[in-house]
Amino acid sequence: MIVSRTIADVRTALGERRDGRIGLVPTMGALHGGHEALLGAARRHCDTVVMSLFVNPAQFGDPADLNGYPRDEQRDLEVARAAGVDVAFAPSAAELYPPGYQTWVEVTELGAILEGQYRPGHFRGVATVCLKLFTIVRPDVAYFGQKDAQQVEVLRQMIADLHLELELAVVPTVRDGDGLALSSRNARLSPDERARALALPRALATHDPETARTILEDAGLDVDYVAVAPFDPPVLAAAVRAGETRLIDNSPFEEEA
Ligand code: AMP
């Protein structure tokens, strides 16, 4: 596995692989089974698998959230190697946002609802970094998790609006045995918070916003929103806080692929 730190290096590493199908899996590290599912799908369907490892400052509103984001690069690179990644792209923040940086991508409507309402600027950061990764790596296909359903929707819109030539592949949400969607943030939950967080998948499975809200509130979770989102497929989506930890999840109204 090649580890590239710069845009020039990743482009060089990919130069001789452009004849085959290139798959990109963007991640912020702290890899878990959800990321591994994306890497597995990419490995099965592509000749070359590129994983980016970048905690994107532009998508964090709260500096404490950014600084507290779990980071363990050595372990992440081991997981990536074991998953068959060919090229890991792990740039510094200054590599992607050098001094004087001033260009942003905003998906105006889809980026403003639900998560966008509670995390202003989040999807601007996501869309911008993904467009950068798409431009740097030039993948044939990029893999994203259904776990972040609104992110998928925002990126699908960006790809269509900007006429980007890549396919977006969506991988079903990977859950722990108890139903909680895997997330890098789960590590921050106390045992009591984790027990209460189990109400999230249970509530969403009702596919009814009012019933879901009652279940979440009864479990002592602070609800940011619980709403039917008009995505493809439509989902019942929610964001809740268990103590200091904010969790999102969704349940598609159609069977996951
Ligand atoms: P992150 O590192 O949190 O930015 O996530 C990187 C990618 O992994 C995104 O496309 C996420 O949607 C996806 N992902 C995160 N958690 C899960 C999960 N539990 N199941 C499937 N995909 C996931």
Side-chain angles (χ1 to χ4, degrees), residues 26-29 32 34-35 38 69 144-145 147-148 151 172-174 182:
T27 83
M28 297 204 298
H32 52 64
H35 300 106
L38 268 59
Y69 201 81
F144 292 91
K147 160 82 166 39
D148 298 281
Q151 172 168 277
T173 303
V174 178
L182 297 187

Side-chain angles (χ1 to χ4, degrees), residues 99-176:
Y101 187 83
Q102 52 188 289
T103 302
W104 300 98
V105 182
E106 188 124 25
V107 179
T108 53
E109 290 173 30
L110 279 167
I113 61 172
L114 301 171
E115 280 299 286
Q117 209 182 328
Y118 286 87
R119 302 183 68 188
H122 172 67
F123 287 116
R124 179 175 107 140
V126 169
T128 302
V129 81
C130 285
L131 181 58
K132 280 170 164 287
L133 293 170
F134 296 164
T135 310
I136 295 164
V137 174
R138 288 196 286 128
D140 297 281
V141 49
Y143 292 82
F144 292 91
Q146 175 65 30
K147 160 82 166 39
D148 298 281
Q150 190 173 357
Q151 172 168 277
V152 168
E153 211 63 19
V154 164
L155 295 175
R156 195 179 276 143
Q157 186 74 40
M158 178 184 80
I159 288 167
D161 287 351
L162 298 183
H163 322 291
L164 304 181
E165 280 192 306
L166 81 156
E167 195 185 309
L168 192 148
V170 183
V171 174
T173 303
V174 178
R175 298 177 182 281
D176 260 336

Side-chain angles (χ1 to χ4, degrees), residues 5-257:
R5 302 280 171 190
T6 65
I7 295 163
D9 279 356
V10 78
R11 284 188 166 144
T12 303
L14 291 173
E16 61 198 24
R17 295 168 176 266
R18 295 233 169 258
D19 288 346
R21 187 172 162 83
I22 296 179
L24 170 68
V25 180
T27 83
M28 297 204 298
L31 301 181
H32 52 64
H35 300 106
E36 286 174 306
L38 268 59
L39 294 171
R43 187 64 286 166
R44 281 192 296 282
H45 297 119
C46 300
D47 300 297
T48 297
V49 176
V50 182
M51 184 190 87
S52 59
L53 180 52
F54 181 63
V55 183
N56 177 30
Q59 70 187 67
F60 288 82
D62 175 6
D65 192 24
L66 172 62
N67 294 331
Y69 201 81
R71 289 173 173 83
D72 186 348
E73 190 186 87
Q74 281 321 306
R75 182 186 161 274
D76 288 339
L77 292 176
E78 284 311 314
V79 173
R81 194 172 283 117
V85 170
D86 298 295
V87 179
F89 177 45
S92 66
E95 179 73 4
L96 291 195
Y97 302 105
Y101 187 83
Q102 52 188 289
T103 302
W104 300 98
V105 182
E106 188 124 25
V107 179
T108 53
E109 290 173 30
L110 279 167
I113 61 172
L114 301 171
E115 280 299 286
Q117 209 182 328
Y118 286 87
R119 302 183 68 188
H122 172 67
F123 287 116
R124 179 175 107 140
V126 169
T128 302
V129 81
C130 285
L131 181 58
K132 280 170 164 287
L133 293 170
F134 296 164
T135 310
I136 295 164
V137 174
R138 288 196 286 128
D140 297 281
V141 49
Y143 292 82
F144 292 91
Q146 175 65 30
K147 160 82 166 39
D148 298 281
Q150 190 173 357
Q151 172 168 277
V152 168
E153 211 63 19
V154 164
L155 295 175
R156 195 179 276 143
Q157 186 74 40
M158 178 184 80
I159 288 167
D161 287 351
L162 298 183
H163 322 291
L164 304 181
E165 280 192 306
L166 81 156
E167 195 185 309
L168 192 148
V170 183
V171 174
T173 303
V174 178
R175 298 177 182 281
D176 260 336
D178 57 13
L180 191 66
L182 297 187
S183 163
S184 308
R185 296 174 196 274
N186 292 355
R188 295 189 192 158
L189 296 169
S190 70
D192 170 64
E193 288 166 350
R194 194 193 155 92
R196 288 190 284 127
L198 294 181
L200 182 54
R202 203 154 35 83
L204 294 174
T206 66
H207 284 153
D208 178 71
E210 274 96 59
T211 313
R213 180 176 284 276
T214 304
I215 292 172
L216 295 170
E217 290 176 350
D218 286 353
L221 298 169
D222 292 319
V223 180
D224 277 355
Y225 62 82
V226 51
V228 175
F231 301 158
D232 177 19
V235 298
L236 182 61
V240 299
R241 279 165 288 115
E244 297 290 297
T245 306
R246 191 167 180 281
L247 300 171
I248 62 168
D249 195 358
N250 69 90
S251 179
F253 280 84
E254 290 162 22
E255 195 79 352
E256 291 193 51

